[in-house]
Amino acid sequence: ILLFLKDLGIEDNHLGTFLSKNYAIFSEDLEDLKTRVAYLRSKNFSKADIAQMVRNAPFLLNFSVERLDNRLGFFQKELELSVKKTRDLVVRLPRLLTGSLEPVKENMKVFNTRLFKVKERHLFLTYLRRAQYDPAKPNYIALDKLVSIPDEIFCEEIAKASVQDFEKFLKTL
């Protein structure tokens, strides 16, 4: 396994750090490790990419091919990335493949919720003919306010409408 890691591109001066983080690598079957590397190569990860990923995410090779494939698929699908962008992302941040997906899912929920809220508010302002985002013109609406303030303040100060009017409008969407 040590020779395998060296052949993979883990330099002598990184072996100690790697093994202190992932001593469980010795309980893995060498053929399984080779299969996992072959899988990554089949996904067009270069040898240097794989070495970098393994150095930065020592448990990467402990993951089965199926689990690696599921993780890559998750990021490609959920983030709507091309194959190349998915590959670039996990080369830079390989712990995304080995870490918990819960923080990622939570962040995506927050980004999607914010985007949805901005869209709703923009459509409401458009309906009221108050969607004016040019700072040089009167009744300018700063985009950060559109995102960050509670509905009550948004309705009262920006839309100049009641929360009930906003809620009725949302039902029409």
Side-chain angles (χ1 to χ4, degrees), residues 2-169:
L2 287 174
L3 291 174
F4 167 79
L5 291 171
K6 286 184 66 150
D7 286 345
L8 191 62
I10 306 297
E11 298 89 13
D12 289 345
N13 58 339
H14 288 114
L15 275 174
T17 304
F18 176 89
L19 294 172
S20 65
K21 290 179 182 173
N22 185 9
Y23 54 86
I25 193 88
F26 290 115
S27 64
E28 294 288 333
D29 182 72
L30 184 58
E31 289 306 310
D32 289 342
L33 296 174
K34 289 178 180 177
T35 301
R36 293 164 191 166
V37 170
Y39 165 77
L40 292 171
R41 295 285 291 149
S42 77
K43 295 295 181 183
N44 292 324
F45 288 96
S46 70
K47 188 175 179 184
D49 288 343
I50 296 169
Q52 178 182 335
M53 291 166 63
V54 170
R55 262 194 313 275
N56 293 329
F59 291 99
L60 183 70
L61 294 179
N62 295 59
F63 281 58
S64 69
V65 168
E66 294 79 16
R67 196 167 179 193
L68 288 171
D69 192 57
N70 288 339
R71 293 290 177 109
L72 287 169
F74 170 83
F75 286 106
Q76 185 175 348
K77 179 181 169 221
E78 294 299 319
L79 300 177
E80 298 175 1
L81 298 173
S82 67
V83 173
K84 183 185 181 330
K85 286 190 179 189
T86 303
R87 195 170 37 250
D88 293 344
L89 174 68
V90 298
V91 167
R92 277 196 334 268
L93 302 167
R95 288 188 183 168
L96 287 174
L97 294 177
T98 60
S100 170
L101 292 179
E102 290 311 309
V104 175
K105 289 177 181 176
E106 185 64 28
N107 279 333
M108 289 170 56
K109 185 173 143 189
V110 171
F111 299 156
N112 290 337
T113 301
R114 278 212 173 132
L115 179 63
F116 188 66
K117 181 173 266 226
V118 169
K119 185 176 181 179
E120 286 178 339
R121 289 180 174 188
H122 167 71
L123 291 172
F124 185 56
L125 290 172
T126 301
Y127 171 75
L128 297 173
R129 297 191 174 150
R130 299 191 55 78
Q132 202 293 92
Y133 308 111
D134 184 346
K137 294 182 179 174
N139 301 317
Y140 163 67
I141 297 169
L143 292 178
D144 63 330
K145 282 195 174 185
L146 194 65
V147 176
S148 62
I149 61 176
D151 284 345
E152 296 78 27
I153 296 171
F154 164 75
C155 290
E156 184 180 310
E157 295 181 9
I158 294 177
K160 310 278 192 238
S162 71
V163 174
Q164 292 78 15
D165 289 340
F166 182 50
E167 289 171 351
K168 282 181 193 173
F169 174 79

